[in-house]
């Protein structure tokens, strides 16, 4: 069973959002990193780029496949996780600790469209 953390928001495309004030940390879930296998590259946007809910903002490449990253929320990128540029495998070690981008949320009501931990767990078990 993939690890799921309480208090985060989850999308059907297996991204999570950890909300702190007006900011959201976006990454891939443990389920996603398990499905991908060994991550070899993370394509991230630039700081100040806009991301839009349900649109792609980058990609994760593994030895098995490449997968688009779909933003669960809209906002402005204020930080990228630069550690992933040199060590993309950090996503395999701990997907939840190693967020991909930090955004300033432009519409917090979008969080209502996402799943909580319990709903996401049920979604993954289908």
């Amino acid at each position: 069973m993939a690890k799921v953390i309480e208090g985060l928001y989850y999308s059907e495309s297996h991204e999570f959002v950890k909300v702190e004030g007006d900011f959201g940390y976006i990454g891939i879930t443990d389920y996603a990193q398990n499905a991908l296998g060994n991550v070899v590259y993370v394509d991230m946007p630039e700081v100040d780029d806009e991301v839009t809910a349900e649109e792609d903002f980058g990609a994760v490449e593994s030895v098995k496949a490449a997968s688009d990253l779909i933003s669960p929320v809209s906002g402005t990128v204020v930080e990228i996780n630069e550690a992933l540029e040199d060590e993309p495998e950090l996503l395999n070690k701990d997907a939840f600790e190693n967020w991909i981008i930090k955004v300033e949320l432009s519409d917090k009501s979008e969080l209502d469209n996402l799943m909580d931990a319990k709903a996401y767990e049920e979604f993954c078990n289908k």
Side-chain angles (χ1 to χ4, degrees), residues 20-94:
E20 288 183 359
D22 292 329
F23 298 95
Y25 293 86
I26 301 174
I28 63 170
T29 64
D30 191 51
Y31 182 93
Q33 73 79 21
N34 261 334
L36 280 164
N38 294 335
V39 174
V40 294
Y41 179 72
V42 183
D43 179 31
M44 295 178 274
E46 302 286 320
V47 170
D48 293 329
D49 281 359
E50 297 288 322
V51 296
T52 305
E54 299 180 20
E55 306 263 323
D56 66 334
F57 67 86
V60 174
E61 293 177 22
S62 72
V63 289
K64 289 199 288 194
S67 183
D68 284 341
L69 293 165
I70 311 295
S71 187
V73 290
S74 302
T76 306
V77 178
V78 292
E79 195 178 338
I80 62 167
N81 187 346
E82 292 178 8
L84 296 175
E85 292 177 326
D86 296 326
E87 293 183 87
E89 66 276 5
L90 288 170
L91 292 178
N92 296 121
K93 289 189 178 127
D94 191 335

Side-chain angles (χ1 to χ4, degrees), residues 1-6 8 10 29-31 96 116-122 124:
M1 175 67 203
K3 183 165 98 176
V4 176
I5 295 181
E6 289 290 333
L8 302 180
Y10 296 90
T29 64
D30 191 51
Y31 182 93
F96 290 114
D116 64 10
K118 186 173 187 295
Y120 181 68
E121 235 171 330
E122 289 168 7
C124 289

Side-chain angles (χ1 to χ4, degrees), residues 83-109:
L84 296 175
E85 292 177 326
D86 296 326
E87 293 183 87
E89 66 276 5
L90 288 170
L91 292 178
N92 296 121
K93 289 189 178 127
D94 191 335
F96 290 114
E97 270 305 301
N98 295 288
W99 50 273
I100 297 171
I101 60 172
K102 177 182 176 183
V103 299
E104 186 168 1
L105 301 169
S106 58
D107 182 359
K108 279 191 166 173
S109 72

Side-chain angles (χ1 to χ4, degrees), residues 10-24:
Y10 296 90
S11 68
E12 289 189 1
S13 52
H14 305 289
E15 285 84 14
F16 72 84
V17 185
K18 176 182 173 186
V19 176
E20 288 183 359
D22 292 329
F23 298 95

